[in-house]
Amino acid sequence: MSALVAVLRLGRPVTPRLLLAVLAGVGAAGCAIGLTATSAWLIARAAEQPPMFALMLAITGVRAFGIGRGLLRYAERLAAHDAAFRVLAELRAASYAHLARLAPAGLAELRSGDLLARLVGDVDGLADLWLRVLLPLASAGIAAAAAVLVVTGLLPVAGLVLAVTVLLTVVGAPLAAGAVARHAERRLAPARGELAETALETLHGAPELVALGAAPRALAAVAAVSDRLAVAERGSALGAGTGTLVAGLASGAALWVSILTGIAAVRDGSLAGVGLAVVALTPIAVHEVVAPLAPAARLLPALAVSAGRVRDLLTRPEPVAEPASPAPVPTGPLGLRARSLLVRYPGTETDALGPINLDVAAGAHVVVTGASGTGKSTLAAACLRFLDPAGGLLELVGPHAAADITTLRGDDVRRAVGLCEQDPHVFDGTLGDNLRLARPSATAEELDAALGTAGLRAFARGLPKGLDTAVGEHGARLSGGQRQRLALARALLADVRVLVLDEPTEHLDEVAARAFVVELAKAGAGRTVLVLTHRPELFSDVGWSRGPDLAARGADAAARGS
Amino acid sequence: MQRRLLTKGGTAAGGLAVAVALGLAGTGLAIAQAWLLAHVIASAFLGGAGIDALVLTLALLAIVLLGRACVSWASELVAVRISARVKADLRARLMAAAVAQGPRLAAERSSARTALLVTRGLDALDGFYARYVPQLVLAAVVPVAVVVCLAAVDLVAALTVALTVPLIPVFMVLIGRMSASHRDRRWAALGRLAHRFADVVAGLPTLRAFGRAEAQVAALRRVTDAYRASTIATLRIAFLSAMVLELLATISVAMVAVGVGLRLQAGDLGLEVGLFALVLAPEAYLPLRRLGAEFHAAEEGVAAARDAFALLDEAAGRDPAGASGTLEPPPRIAALRIEGVSVVQPRRDVEAPAGASVEVRPGEVVALTGPSGAGKSTLLGVVLGFVAPTCGRVVVVAPDGTSLDVAALDADAWLARIAWVPQTPYLAPVSVADNIRLGAPDASEAQVAGALAAVGLGDVPADRVLGERGSGLSGGQRRRIGVARSLVRGAPVLLLDEPTAGLDAEAEREVLAAVRAEADRGAIVLLVAHRPGAMAEADRTVAVCWRGLGPGADDDTGAEADTGAEAEADAIELTNACEAGLAEADEAELADAGRAGEAELADAGRAAEAVDAAVLAAQAAVSGARGPRA
């Protein structure tokens, strides 16, 4: 629950809107209760056949509540939706802003699509916390409390009974439902997953299952899983039904006990006869208003789990300590220098890289070799100041001065040092959108030149819509090679002095890779280029100099030690 | 569609009858409650009766209240039971239809999309059955019953209700019409927003590297906000009709109350009757209002049902894939003859294969060769009966010389004669032995072990349980299990699609020897071969080739299902195919390039499926994380 509170704080900027929605909601619920109570009073009083003017106020009240309820409900709906959208925007922006400070080194284990999708689902799902739980709870709760006060004024015992039964509906019913359904619900999610898996397997294998005559057996297996799911669903429904039963019994009890005490009170004169109708009928309206809260409250446990995951993420330590008074990045052509550089990911005990020594002179094209798992991507992350060195020194070296990377601001470093990642993200937009990310002001010629170097020009020109072609989610409409080339074009377009390329030839075939290396050397003229690859033999032309082999760092360190 | 969902089969009928009975019981109890309440209050207030005088009525009231709680509890349980039963039934029928159509459907509809429909898609029916249908029953019964009861005691109140209640469904239809398109657009836009958020989060490392991460915070806020503004503008109108509905219901109740009050004051009416009308009048509107609130649940259910019925109708509208005749294949097959078979490939401007002909006799191994995309696998599909040839035919020749078109054969009987090994054999997540027994459930342990040894997998334990899609095995091992499976089937016809791709020379030799042994025992063997080893083992090789259909033939048959985006994807795919084609430069590289090209084409085809699968996985993860929806 403390996680829920922490996440609730994210919605704080929207508080006025939320209050507006609650206000309208209280009004609407109040009108519903008021309509019943006033009508009851009106009819009871009218039965005593008083003069007409004695009923006028009640008649006006009944009409006003009848009209007010519809209008206020309309206002509540609009205000609640407006507030929910604002909350969603806040939640997304706030969680994104936190994530942006962590990425990519602080989110290393979130690389898997599943976890990320779950996180995004968690954040979006938390908007439900306001719209479906908190707003109804607040408005119905306040209106019910007001009704309890009115009834208490008429007959204290009836007020107490009403209060107890409302609590039973809002708190007791969801608890009872949860207790009954817990066992079944725990099996629900795994059963759903198993069904999805078996169904997909069977559909994938359909042609062979048919050919082998094994389809009936496979279908029977799916049906067995489906039956297990149905059992779990029925168990879960039994829980929800129990909630309904508890709420229904509470509502009935409120009505019955109110009447019983009301009759006794009328007999001993502590309640006016007219008040009996009000005391007896008001609980019906109150329970109608609070009944939807029980299912809403049942969302809370799942939301608390979501909130916990989001909070865990938002309270992670940042992987980089930004300097209090940042030094300027050296001007002029830049090189890189590493001395006994050690890097480790936050929260881990082992070095992901190092110790290594590296010298990349300004304007040089250097190839660092490393098999997978030897820390290539870690070195790239350190060069872009996504990670702080755990030991040793990493410097940006200008013609006049060198600067320790830890004295620079991360954003300043990344204006000077660019990266083409090993597994680049292609955004769901057009080819042009993805390119201009690197340089929003890029001209058509610049885009074309970058595409040419990356070997994507012919492809782009061949498309009916050219650069306005949508690339699909994660670039799904491009082949692996095309995605890689798009990322290269993007990196080349960025106006940086040092370009770090992590496995740039990964998805290219031999011929394309060799052509690319030649183009890269040309495009990189005047820039410092650092290539991290497990295929250094591709970069054997003149103009490429060989840096250290990360796999041999142990030997290297030993040599330095001696 | 709603009617079809309600009347569908016999599965729901029994449950629905119980639901209606419970609805009727609930209505009776509501009326009884109103009358008892009115009686008790009137007696205590005007008659001055005490608890002792009202004991019986109060006891009855307690029983009625208890009964109402139990009825609403029971109707909820019944609704969920109906829903679970209908879902299980629909699921079984969908799976059966999809699997029967499998060989054909695979090309047209992704498995992941069907799997999504069978799981999460059908869950949308819960809302329909568990919430909408019970309210529908109540909405049909309660207003009528209330009006009849009111008419018996107070005609004016009855008229007030009778005149206003019918207006509510009218407005509900209007709301439905008006808001359906709004809502569809809204959900679509909401989906796009969520997708954009997910995309930006996934791309954070890239955004940071280019210094664009901070800019996205503002952009996210701006986009959501712009969306909010436009949505609220449309919601203002959409909610307006809901407001009219709400007003109608509450003002009617107010009118009844005021009318009753005035007549009471004038002495035209007794208090008991007045209270009865006051308590009962709102009951007439409640189910209708709740029905309006569940409209959305119903629409979601109907949308899911539409998908499900579409698939079922599609399947019912044509025969299951496979041969569709009734003839028994001859007990002994003297030859399998392919006579000028051509297949026009949907969405590709080609005929592949184009006019393929070959005859294979028992004891022969014939290899089909040709560049990738020539239609070799399609030709095997024609032999299986999964693919209908555009022209030409495949016949089985009996020993007496009579020949039968395979299209005229009974599908199951014909498939029982065939052992087919596709390029990537399907592996179930069961033991290796059970996978091998898939096509021959009665195979003995010795037979399984013999087949494993024959394909060079003697060292793989037969009781090893495989992971999802054979994970834990190399591609070569998977293929060899597929071959072993075909061996234990002892079928007279063997169709092998590149059985030795990805195998080292030693393994290839073993697999080919096993295939040769099958031919020696009298099997007809047709295999697709790329590699020289496999070609050399064959008695004959037959080249399969494809033919372009010229610029005049517009093949965009799938165009009506194509969105613009998909058409673009096709354009990209075609470009890919061209690139792959250009790369096929010399003979030595042919096999590699062909495989790469095939893989790329297959990738492109599967890309959409992969996205669907990702959606499925993500949804599973989200649902697992968020727990069941209440």
Side-chain angles (χ1 to χ4, degrees):
Chain A
M1 283 298 151
S2 68
L4 276 178
V5 174
V7 170
L8 279 177
R9 289 208 191 99
L10 293 178
R12 206 185 281 152
V14 191
T15 308
R17 298 277 166 175
L18 290 165
L19 284 179
L20 195 69
V22 170
L23 210 62
V26 170
C31 279
I33 299 171
L35 178 61
T36 302
T38 323
S39 304
W41 187 88
L42 168 66
I43 286 175
R45 182 82 182 93
E48 293 174 334
Q49 302 192 324
M52 196 61 196
F53 68 83
L55 299 178
M56 284 321 289
L57 190 65
I59 289 175
T60 317
V62 167
R63 286 181 178 148
F65 284 136
I67 295 168
R69 159 137 207 226
L71 294 178
L72 285 169
R73 183 90 179 87
Y74 177 71
E76 184 205 3
R77 276 193 180 138
L78 275 186
H81 277 81
D82 185 71
F85 282 128
R86 285 172 197 267
V87 165
L88 191 61
E90 283 302 325
L91 274 178
R92 282 181 178 157
S95 51
Y96 174 85
H98 274 281
L99 287 176
R101 281 197 285 280
L102 298 177
L107 299 174
E109 81 281 11
L110 280 177
R111 279 253 120 117
S112 129
D114 269 12
L115 287 173
L116 207 60
R118 198 170 73 178
L119 170 75
V120 170
D122 279 341
V123 170
D124 282 2
L126 281 175
D128 271 1
L129 183 61
W130 277 270
L131 194 61
R132 290 174 65 184
V133 181
L134 293 181
L135 287 181
L137 202 66
S139 29
I142 293 172
V148 165
L149 283 181
V150 171
V151 173
T152 308
L154 289 171
L155 183 65
V157 191
L160 183 70
V161 169
L162 187 57
V164 169
T165 54
V166 164
L167 280 179
L168 205 58
T169 303
V170 179
V171 182
L175 287 180
V180 172
R182 189 165 300 133
H183 182 59
E185 277 171 2
R186 210 172 289 148
R187 280 176 313 179
L188 209 53
R192 284 212 176 103
E194 198 188 346
L195 177 67
E197 218 166 84
T198 338
L200 196 60
E201 287 282 335
T202 307
L203 289 168
H204 268 300
E208 273 171 285
L209 290 170
V210 170
L212 293 168
R217 268 173 288 147
L219 286 174
V222 177
V225 181
S226 171
D227 286 346
R228 268 210 299 285
L229 176 61
V231 170
E233 277 175 341
R234 280 205 292 273
S236 151
L238 193 68
T242 308
T244 310
L245 185 66
V246 170
L249 289 176
S251 158
L255 178 60
W256 198 75
V257 177
S258 301
I259 286 191
L260 206 67
T261 53
I263 292 171
V266 168
R267 283 285 275 209
D268 67 25
S270 58
L271 179 68
V274 174
L276 176 61
V278 179
V279 167
L281 297 188
T282 307
I284 301 181
V286 172
H287 274 278
E288 211 165 275
V289 163
V290 296
L293 296 183
R298 287 206 66 209
L299 296 174
L300 274 175
L303 285 173
V305 173
S306 282
R309 277 196 295 257
V310 171
R311 188 189 55 175
D312 285 350
L313 197 76
L314 299 189
T315 50
R316 278 186 195 206
E318 292 181 23
V320 172
E322 294 280 350
S325 49
V329 174
T331 52
L334 273 185
L336 289 169
R337 179 160 60 211
R339 287 290 172 270
S340 309
L341 176 65
L342 277 171
V343 188
R344 63 174 62 167
Y345 282 90
T348 63
E349 296 297 318
T350 50
D351 297 326
L353 171 71
I356 65 153
N357 292 334
L358 174 69
D359 282 288
V360 182
H365 293 179
V366 175
V367 180
V368 168
T369 310
S372 63
T374 50
K376 287 192 300 284
S377 301
T378 309
L379 177 58
C383 290
L384 269 91
R385 204 158 198 286
F386 284 148
L387 269 175
D388 271 342
L393 184 68
L394 180 61
E395 287 180 315
L396 294 188
V397 186
H400 313 296
D404 181 344
I405 201 162
T406 55
T407 64
L408 306 175
R409 248 165 35 114
D411 284 340
D412 292 340
V413 170
R414 289 186 286 273
R415 262 192 283 281
V417 184
L419 170 69
C420 176
E421 302 146 275
Q422 179 175 6
D423 195 7
H425 185 79
V426 175
F427 291 89
D428 187 1
T430 66
L431 276 177
D433 290 342
N434 270 290
L435 286 172
R436 267 182 287 256
L437 185 75
R439 198 197 295 182
S441 60
T443 63
E445 289 76 34
E446 287 168 334
L447 294 181
D448 194 63
L451 284 172
T453 307
L456 215 54
R457 186 187 281 140
F459 166 73
R461 284 187 182 163
L463 293 169
K465 287 195 191 168
L467 289 182
D468 292 330
T469 304
V471 296
E473 191 176 355
H474 294 271
R477 293 191 200 130
L478 304 176
S479 70
Q482 285 164 343
R483 276 198 289 274
Q484 186 74 38
R485 291 179 211 202
L486 177 61
L488 290 170
R490 191 160 67 182
L492 291 171
L493 204 56
D495 196 12
V496 290
R497 285 176 273 167
V498 180
L499 187 55
V500 181
L501 299 115
D502 191 358
E503 293 286 9
T505 56
E506 183 66 0
H507 294 275
L508 305 180
D509 63 44
E510 190 73 15
V511 179
R514 291 199 179 278
F516 169 76
V517 170
V518 173
E519 287 289 332
L520 179 63
K522 271 192 253 167
R527 281 192 225 194
T528 309
V529 179
L530 173 62
V531 171
L532 311 167
T533 179
H534 71 284
R535 295 172 70 191
E537 69 280 2
L538 284 170
F539 299 84
S540 47
D541 294 346
V542 196
W544 292 98
S545 51
R546 192 69 70 92
D549 184 341
L550 298 180
R553 70 189 188 211
D556 190 29
R560 247 179 296 117
S562 65
Chain B
M1 188 59 64
Q2 289 198 10
R3 191 167 308 133
R4 189 165 172 191
L5 262 180
L6 287 175
T7 55
K8 202 207 71 42
T11 44
L16 282 176
V18 176
V20 171
L22 284 169
L24 289 173
T27 312
L29 288 172
I31 292 165
Q33 179 194 329
W35 185 80
L36 289 169
L37 254 179
H39 179 70
V40 167
I41 294 172
S43 316
F45 170 29
L46 292 183
I51 292 175
D52 41 351
L54 292 168
V55 162
L56 190 65
T57 328
L58 283 171
L60 269 178
L61 184 63
I63 292 170
V64 167
L65 289 169
L66 201 67
R68 280 195 88 178
C70 291
V71 163
S72 64
W73 175 60
S75 44
E76 202 169 312
L77 291 192
V78 167
V80 171
R81 270 168 193 273
I82 298 175
S83 175
R85 199 175 315 149
V86 172
K87 277 188 339 191
D89 171 63
L90 262 180
R91 195 176 284 141
R93 283 168 52 184
L94 280 171
M95 283 299 293
V99 168
Q101 289 285 318
R104 192 182 301 160
L105 219 56
E108 298 163 13
R109 196 187 167 102
S110 80
S111 313
R113 230 174 72 209
T114 309
L116 199 62
L117 173 65
V118 166
T119 52
R120 305 290 306 172
L122 288 186
D123 280 345
L125 288 178
D126 282 343
F128 182 82
Y129 284 107
R131 298 206 298 274
Y132 183 73
V133 171
Q135 286 303 326
L136 195 66
V137 172
L138 291 177
V141 177
V142 174
V144 178
V146 167
V147 168
V148 169
C149 286
L150 281 180
V153 293
D154 180 18
L155 218 54
V156 185
L159 266 179
T160 316
V161 175
L163 287 178
T164 48
V165 160
L167 288 177
I168 291 182
V170 172
F171 271 97
M172 231 144 62
V173 171
L174 283 180
I175 292 169
R177 290 251 169 90
M178 258 172 75
S179 61
S181 63
H182 281 317
R183 194 177 42 236
D184 287 353
R185 247 177 297 151
R186 198 150 50 94
W187 283 119
L190 207 57
R192 275 202 299 281
L193 275 184
H195 168 68
R196 189 193 153 93
F197 178 49
D199 193 30
V200 168
V201 170
L204 258 175
T206 306
L207 288 170
R208 278 204 96 193
F210 289 113
R212 298 274 174 268
E214 306 298 326
Q216 290 293 327
V217 177
L220 268 177
R221 219 179 239 132
R222 204 171 49 241
V223 170
T224 314
D225 216 47
Y227 168 73
R228 176 189 59 77
S230 70
T231 308
I232 292 294
T234 61
L235 284 183
R236 248 177 230 135
I237 303 164
F239 286 163
L240 208 59
S241 36
M243 182 184 72
V244 174
L245 199 149
E246 197 94 35
L247 275 176
L248 214 61
T250 48
I251 291 177
S252 309
V253 173
M255 270 164 63
V256 169
V258 171
V260 165
L262 290 179
R263 271 171 291 133
L264 272 172
Q265 195 261 345
D268 299 341
L269 211 63
L271 176 61
E272 192 169 327
V273 170
L275 279 173
F276 179 62
L278 178 70
V279 175
L280 207 51
E283 296 280 352
Y285 300 95
L286 200 62
L288 281 166
R289 269 172 34 211
R290 288 205 178 136
L291 188 67
E294 301 301 351
F295 203 75
H296 175 61
E299 288 220 319
E300 274 189 346
V302 167
R306 193 175 296 134
D307 280 356
F309 287 135
L311 190 110
L312 287 176
D313 289 345
E314 201 178 295
R318 56 188 192 191
D319 308 312
S324 53
T326 52
L327 298 178
E328 278 291 314
R332 279 197 58 241
I333 302 175
L336 178 73
R337 199 158 62 219
I338 297 169
E339 299 176 348
V341 167
S342 301
V343 178
V344 174
Q345 298 285 346
R347 292 200 187 207
R348 277 169 62 196
D349 234 350
V350 296
E351 217 170 42
S357 293
V358 60
E359 185 177 284
V360 196
R361 295 176 174 282
E364 275 188 321
V365 177
V366 173
L368 300 173
T369 62
S372 69
K376 301 180 296 289
S377 302
T378 308
L379 192 56
L380 294 189
V382 176
V383 175
L384 283 158
F386 289 164
V387 180
T390 317
C391 61
R393 58 178 197 156
V394 177
V395 298
V396 283
V397 183
D400 61 2
T402 55
S403 59
L404 285 169
D405 189 335
V406 296
L409 297 176
D410 175 72
D412 289 340
W414 174 230
L415 289 171
R417 302 298 181 84
I418 301 177
W420 167 52
V421 184
Q423 275 178 31
T424 43
Y426 160 77
L427 293 179
V430 293
S431 71
V432 169
D434 285 345
N435 263 297
I436 288 172
R437 280 200 201 98
L438 207 58
D442 304 326
S444 68
E445 264 176 49
Q447 277 173 299
V448 170
L452 273 175
V455 295
L457 290 180
D459 53 340
V460 172
D463 54 358
R464 174 168 163 199
V465 176
L466 301 180
E468 230 178 297
R469 288 187 211 167
S471 62
L473 295 176
S474 73
Q477 283 176 320
R478 280 180 231 184
R479 257 193 207 101
R480 281 187 277 173
I481 289 181
V483 174
R485 178 189 289 164
S486 73
L487 298 181
V488 296
R489 207 155 144 81
V493 179
L494 240 71
L495 306 175
L496 306 159
D497 202 342
E498 297 204 38
T500 61
L503 300 189
D504 58 48
E506 170 69 13
E508 177 174 35
R509 203 183 46 72
E510 282 171 319
V511 166
L512 290 175
V515 170
R516 171 55 69 188
E518 284 292 288
D520 289 345
R521 102 178 138 71
I524 290 171
V525 181
L526 197 55
L527 65 87
V528 174
H530 259 316
R531 312 215 317 193
M535 293 186 205
E537 179 61 34
D539 299 312
R540 276 181 290 142
T541 61
V542 175
V544 177
C545 51
W546 59 278
R547 182 169 62 215
L549 290 179
D554 188 2
D555 69 327
D556 248 346
T557 46
E560 66 269 19
D562 266 358
T563 63
E566 274 168 347
E568 278 165 26
D570 287 346
I572 297 175
E573 271 179 46
L574 284 175
T575 320
N576 272 344
C578 292
E579 279 183 0
L582 288 175
E584 285 174 3
D586 65 61
E587 198 63 26
E589 271 181 341
L590 187 72
D592 273 339
R595 248 199 310 286
E598 239 163 47
E600 216 164 3
L601 270 178
D603 277 352
R606 258 176 239 138
E609 196 170 329
V611 172
D612 282 336
V615 169
L616 197 70
Q619 285 198 344
V622 171
S623 79
R626 290 166 72 184
R629 291 207 187 140

Short mmCIF file of all heavy atoms in Angstrom, two decimals, chain B residues 480-497:
data_model
loop_
_atom_site.label_atom_id
_atom_site.label_comp_id
_atom_site.label_asym_id
_atom_site.label_seq_id
_atom_site.Cartn_x
_atom_site.Cartn_y
_atom_site.Cartn_z
N ARG B 480 16.23 -33.94 -37.88
CA ARG B 480 16.42 -35.39 -37.85
C ARG B 480 15.33 -36.07 -37.04
O ARG B 480 14.93 -37.19 -37.35
CB ARG B 480 17.81 -35.72 -37.28
CG ARG B 480 18.89 -35.52 -38.36
CD ARG B 480 20.22 -35.99 -37.90
NE ARG B 480 20.89 -34.98 -37.10
CZ ARG B 480 22.03 -35.18 -36.46
NH1 ARG B 480 22.62 -36.36 -36.51
NH2 ARG B 480 22.58 -34.21 -35.77
N ILE B 481 14.82 -35.39 -35.98
CA ILE B 481 13.67 -35.96 -35.26
C ILE B 481 12.48 -36.05 -36.19
O ILE B 481 11.72 -37.03 -36.19
CB ILE B 481 13.36 -35.14 -34.00
CG1 ILE B 481 14.46 -35.36 -32.97
CG2 ILE B 481 11.99 -35.53 -33.41
CD1 ILE B 481 14.27 -34.62 -31.67
N GLY B 482 12.33 -35.02 -37.04
CA GLY B 482 11.24 -35.04 -38.02
C GLY B 482 11.37 -36.24 -38.96
O GLY B 482 10.39 -36.93 -39.26
N VAL B 483 12.59 -36.51 -39.39
CA VAL B 483 12.81 -37.65 -40.29
C VAL B 483 12.53 -38.96 -39.55
O VAL B 483 11.86 -39.85 -40.07
CB VAL B 483 14.26 -37.64 -40.85
CG1 VAL B 483 14.52 -38.90 -41.66
CG2 VAL B 483 14.49 -36.40 -41.70
N ALA B 484 13.02 -39.04 -38.30
CA ALA B 484 12.78 -40.25 -37.51
C ALA B 484 11.28 -40.51 -37.36
O ALA B 484 10.81 -41.64 -37.43
CB ALA B 484 13.44 -40.12 -36.13
N ARG B 485 10.52 -39.41 -37.18
CA ARG B 485 9.06 -39.52 -37.05
C ARG B 485 8.46 -40.14 -38.31
O ARG B 485 7.55 -40.96 -38.24
CB ARG B 485 8.51 -38.13 -36.82
CG ARG B 485 7.02 -38.07 -36.70
CD ARG B 485 6.56 -36.64 -36.71
NE ARG B 485 6.89 -35.95 -35.48
CZ ARG B 485 6.88 -34.62 -35.34
NH1 ARG B 485 6.58 -33.85 -36.37
NH2 ARG B 485 7.17 -34.06 -34.19
N SER B 486 8.99 -39.72 -39.46
CA SER B 486 8.45 -40.25 -40.71
C SER B 486 8.84 -41.72 -40.89
O SER B 486 8.10 -42.50 -41.47
CB SER B 486 8.93 -39.42 -41.89
OG SER B 486 10.29 -39.70 -42.14
N LEU B 487 9.99 -42.12 -40.32
CA LEU B 487 10.43 -43.51 -40.48
C LEU B 487 9.49 -44.48 -39.76
O LEU B 487 9.12 -45.51 -40.30
CB LEU B 487 11.86 -43.69 -39.96
CG LEU B 487 12.96 -42.88 -40.66
CD1 LEU B 487 14.32 -43.18 -40.05
CD2 LEU B 487 12.96 -43.17 -42.15
N VAL B 488 9.11 -44.13 -38.50
CA VAL B 488 8.29 -45.07 -37.73
C VAL B 488 6.88 -45.18 -38.31
O VAL B 488 6.13 -46.07 -37.97
CB VAL B 488 8.17 -44.70 -36.24
CG1 VAL B 488 9.51 -44.77 -35.56
CG2 VAL B 488 7.52 -43.35 -36.05
N ARG B 489 6.51 -44.23 -39.18
CA ARG B 489 5.16 -44.25 -39.73
C ARG B 489 5.01 -45.37 -40.77
O ARG B 489 3.90 -45.80 -41.04
CB ARG B 489 4.87 -42.89 -40.36
CG ARG B 489 3.41 -42.51 -40.38
CD ARG B 489 3.28 -41.01 -40.43
NE ARG B 489 2.15 -40.57 -41.25
CZ ARG B 489 0.90 -40.54 -40.81
NH1 ARG B 489 0.62 -40.94 -39.60
NH2 ARG B 489 -0.07 -40.11 -41.60
N GLY B 490 6.14 -45.82 -41.31
CA GLY B 490 6.09 -46.93 -42.27
C GLY B 490 5.15 -46.67 -43.43
O GLY B 490 4.46 -47.57 -43.90
N ALA B 491 5.09 -45.43 -43.91
CA ALA B 491 4.13 -45.07 -44.94
C ALA B 491 4.66 -45.43 -46.32
O ALA B 491 5.88 -45.46 -46.54
CB ALA B 491 3.85 -43.57 -44.88
N PRO B 492 3.75 -45.71 -47.27
CA PRO B 492 4.20 -46.02 -48.63
C PRO B 492 4.73 -44.80 -49.40
O PRO B 492 5.42 -44.98 -50.39
CB PRO B 492 2.95 -46.60 -49.30
CG PRO B 492 1.80 -46.13 -48.48
CD PRO B 492 2.31 -45.93 -47.09
N VAL B 493 4.36 -43.59 -48.96
CA VAL B 493 4.85 -42.38 -49.65
C VAL B 493 5.60 -41.52 -48.65
O VAL B 493 5.08 -41.21 -47.57
CB VAL B 493 3.67 -41.57 -50.24
CG1 VAL B 493 4.19 -40.32 -50.92
CG2 VAL B 493 2.87 -42.43 -51.21
N LEU B 494 6.82 -41.14 -48.99
CA LEU B 494 7.63 -40.29 -48.13
C LEU B 494 7.88 -38.96 -48.85
O LEU B 494 8.39 -38.95 -49.98
CB LEU B 494 8.99 -40.95 -47.87
CG LEU B 494 9.33 -41.25 -46.42
CD1 LEU B 494 8.45 -42.37 -45.93
CD2 LEU B 494 10.79 -41.60 -46.28
N LEU B 495 7.52 -37.83 -48.20
CA LEU B 495 7.77 -36.51 -48.76
C LEU B 495 8.70 -35.78 -47.80
O LEU B 495 8.35 -35.53 -46.66
CB LEU B 495 6.47 -35.73 -48.92
CG LEU B 495 5.34 -36.40 -49.71
CD1 LEU B 495 4.08 -35.54 -49.67
CD2 LEU B 495 5.76 -36.64 -51.15
N LEU B 496 9.90 -35.47 -48.28
CA LEU B 496 10.89 -34.87 -47.38
C LEU B 496 11.31 -33.52 -47.94
O LEU B 496 11.77 -33.43 -49.08
CB LEU B 496 12.10 -35.78 -47.24
CG LEU B 496 11.80 -37.21 -46.82
CD1 LEU B 496 12.94 -38.15 -47.20
CD2 LEU B 496 11.56 -37.28 -45.33
N ASP B 497 11.14 -32.45 -47.12
CA ASP B 497 11.49 -31.11 -47.57
C ASP B 497 12.85 -30.71 -46.99
O ASP B 497 12.93 -30.38 -45.80
CB ASP B 497 10.40 -30.13 -47.14
CG ASP B 497 10.38 -28.88 -47.99
OD1 ASP B 497 11.40 -28.61 -48.65
OD2 ASP B 497 9.35 -28.17 -47.98
#
